[in-house]
């Protein structure tokens, strides 16, 4: 299955704890979209997060994120 990486530009108010929480929300529903969250990174200085996800297509990753937390 393909592996995708997406990038999220976040607001200045976002913390590492908040990113960890939304990642856990993804993991709770990933099976509904045929996805498997492999890992994520959060660059606190740049307020950027990256998600590495095994998925059938990029749309599945987007749909999973939207359902889990809207990001």
């Amino acid at each position: 299955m393909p592996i995708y990486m997406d990038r999220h530009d976040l607001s200045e108010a976002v913390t590492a704890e908040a990113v960890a929480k939304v990642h856990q929300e993804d993991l709770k529903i990933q099976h509904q979209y045929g996805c498997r969250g492999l890992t994520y990174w959060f660059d606190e200085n740049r307020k950027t997060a990256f998600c590495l996800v095994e998925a059938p297509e990029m749309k599945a990753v987007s749909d999973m994120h939207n359902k889990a937390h809207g990001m």
Side-chain angles (χ1 to χ4, degrees):
M1 190 174 318
I3 296 175
Y4 297 94
M5 181 179 290
D6 63 353
R7 174 188 169 130
H8 304 274
D9 294 314
L10 306 170
S11 75
E12 288 296 318
V14 173
T15 64
E17 292 80 16
V19 175
K21 182 179 177 184
V22 297
H23 177 69
Q24 290 302 311
E25 295 302 314
D26 284 337
L27 296 180
K28 288 178 187 175
I29 66 162
Q30 65 185 351
H31 64 280
Q32 296 174 13
Y33 298 89
C35 295
R36 186 168 67 102
L38 303 173
T39 193
Y40 72 95
W41 297 269
F42 176 56
D43 183 332
E44 192 163 10
N45 293 329
R46 293 182 179 92
K47 295 298 181 180
T48 306
F50 301 87
C51 302
L52 190 64
V53 181
E54 186 178 61
E57 60 187 4
M58 189 62 203
K59 183 177 183 328
V61 177
S62 297
D63 291 346
M64 177 187 66
H65 283 328
N66 288 334
K67 177 71 173 191
H69 47 75
M71 295 174 73

